[in-house]
Amino acid sequence: MIILEEALVRLTSSLIQMESTTPERINYAVEFCASWLQRHGVPVRLWENQGLKMITATIGQANAGSTLVLNGHLDVVPGHTENFIPRVEAGRLHGRGSYDMLGAVAAMMALIADLVQQPPKGRIILQLVPDEEKGGELGSAYLVEQGSIGDFVICGEPTNLDIAVQAKGVLQVKVEFSGISAHGSRPWLGKNAIVAAMQKYNQLATLDFMKESSRFFPAPSFNLAKIEGGAALNQVPDRCSLYLDIRYLPTQNPGDILESIRQAVPDAHVEMLRHGSPVTTDACNPYVQTLQQSTAHIFGRETVLFGQDGSADTRFFAQYGIPAVEFGPIGANHHGPDEYVEIESLVLYQKILRSFIKQLEGKVNRDEIEK
Ligand SMILES: [Zn+2]
């Protein structure tokens, strides 16, 4: 236990020190992980997409059971210099990325390095990727497109050992209002586009789709993220754009939401800027239930299934109908000033993953689980 704990703290600390916030540093972290795994006898495949490196490490055999994908991102959000100096205090490992999600990555790496000695029936693919914090299109999405997929996916995002089975979809929309410009001293001669946008904003934020709820979510969310409009102080503005960041329920249809926005503002130009699929993993999915049982057994506590408001790389697997969950250790303050992970939870996390893999191998027959 102590040895495992020390090993996980050491590996996580090395990853924190990589300061993987730029493409160069992320690539360096990927290479570090590749050689670490190779040194421990794990076969590694190096991938590169648009200058960003990533790896997959596969153990076990296809056609002998389930294929489990363990997915971790190595990129972290920026921080101050002191955030990248790992510090252990009162059972916690502090540092940027300790919780989101370098601790989970270290636990996954150490587990694979251990299992390679005696591979389980079935197959485990460890994916270590860049770009998650920027959207994931260049990392996990690329690997999925290349066919690196499985029967079940665990992304080691910070979840405090609960299991996020669903995530909201992302719909980012630009609504452009037009007006008529005029001299600022005679506004009655023009039509003010900013005022038109302000008058419509409340209606947009309270459309019917915003009043819906689903099993894991009380409501969608609606954020007015940016406003563009106006050029000079003595002019009536003839353009105003509202940039909306809508996080919709897995049960909702983004096309219907766009249509309701268009109907609410027929004179405005509505443009979809970005879409990300929701994650709709079924709470009754046998892999989810097995993971829930393993967690309850090792952790000795009821494990909560929940829905994430934000999106993660799980969505790229969900797009292909592959059940994917976010599941990671206990900590706090990810993306914040004093991020930390509970060291004991890293050990538990690794034990839970190990027990989960054991259960997949022993108790559950693949055909049964795919039903
Ligand atoms: Zn993350």
Side-chain angles (χ1 to χ4, degrees), residues 153-159 162-167 279 306 308 310-314 324-328:
V153 182
I154 296 175
C155 292
E157 294 291 352
T159 64
D162 286 326
I163 303 170
V165 285
Q166 300 203 346
V279 178
F306 71 105
Q308 283 282 41
S311 76
D313 280 358
T314 40
V325 298
E326 292 172 48
F327 176 63

Side-chain angles (χ1 to χ4, degrees), residues 73 100-101 132-133 157-158 335:
H73 66 81
D100 182 12
M101 55 171 279
E132 196 278 340
E133 299 292 2
E157 294 291 352
H335 295 210

